Amino acid sequence: MLPAVRLISEAAELAARQHSGMARKGRGNEPYINHLAEVAKLLATATDGGDAELVAAGWLHDVIEDTDTTRQELAQKFSDRVASLVVECTDDMSLPKAERRRRQVVDAPKKSASARLIKIADKISNVGARIHSGPTAEERDDLADYAGWAEQVVAGCRGGNVWLDTTFDNMVRQARASL
Ligand code: ZN
């Protein structure tokens, strides 16, 4: 396996290149890479820097879903575990959104312990990005809807890391307070 610093740096570089030009949903249309950096940082904090493959998978968690990168490329460049974690976080984009959302809730408890941590970090980041000061009616509806669904997904993921669970709960509380 690559040394930890290389693993994470190469994951960040591939993610930046592949998601280049994409914007994330929510506040200010930030570059997509901001979302990936936040998820990776949450995972690094949650595990106190003890799991480089998890942090690399955090950088890469949307790269199969949103770009032409394949599982095989990730396995070759990084490791089988990194590739598997990213696959576990990949929705089947041929399905309609409602079905993808339903499956995330149903499938969450069946995921590996590490994939469940990535899912929670992803939802913390996505709820946070939807919190606006002085939201429009549409932004309010979107946040209420997203937070309610994220809670269902996270219900099937929690228990592996107290800090991530608490950070998610605090983010949802902050989201509801902003409505
Ligand atoms: Zn994501």
Side-chain angles (χ1 to χ4, degrees):
M1 199 179 67
L2 292 171
V5 173
R6 277 197 63 190
L7 186 78
I8 293 168
S9 301
E10 294 195 15
E13 192 273 340
L14 180 68
R17 190 149 36 84
Q18 290 296 80
H19 291 277
S20 163
M22 294 180 191
R24 71 183 303 195
K25 271 197 84 170
R27 203 174 40 215
N29 280 16
E30 288 175 274
Y32 204 81
I33 194 74
N34 291 21
H35 166 61
L36 304 171
E38 185 180 12
V39 169
K41 185 208 69 176
L42 286 165
L43 293 166
T45 304
T47 56
D48 197 22
D51 190 344
E53 287 182 311
L54 179 67
V55 176
W59 276 108
L60 295 166
H61 75 277
D62 286 322
V63 83
I64 294 180
E65 189 171 299
D66 293 343
T67 82
D68 60 3
T69 305
T70 64
R71 177 195 186 122
Q72 198 189 355
E73 283 173 58
L74 297 181
Q76 274 169 5
K77 195 167 166 48
F78 302 101
S79 68
D80 281 332
R81 179 169 171 241
V82 169
S84 296
L85 287 174
V86 176
V87 168
E88 283 193 90
C89 296
T90 302
D91 282 354
D92 181 348
M93 296 305 280
S94 69
L95 298 170
K97 185 178 170 191
E99 176 61 11
R100 295 202 306 271
R101 277 189 159 202
R102 192 190 69 79
R103 287 199 183 187
Q104 281 205 34
V105 174
V106 173
D107 292 345
K110 304 174 200 158
K111 306 254 177 225
S112 68
S114 297
R116 294 203 298 269
L117 300 184
I118 300 172
K119 302 290 290 180
I120 299 172
D122 188 42
K123 297 297 181 272
I124 293 168
S125 170
N126 287 340
V127 171
R130 285 171 169 79
I131 299 175
H132 300 262
S133 57
T136 64
E138 195 184 326
E139 286 165 348
R140 216 172 280 210
D141 288 350
D142 178 55
L143 175 56
D145 172 63
Y146 190 91
W149 171 68
E151 276 185 311
Q152 292 179 55
V153 176
V154 169
C157 295
R158 52 199 310 147
N161 186 285
V162 175
W163 183 82
L164 272 183
D165 292 352
T166 307
T167 303
F168 176 78
D169 293 341
N170 290 339
M171 190 63 91
V172 169
R173 203 167 302 133
Q174 199 187 321
R176 296 245 154 83
S178 79
L179 291 176

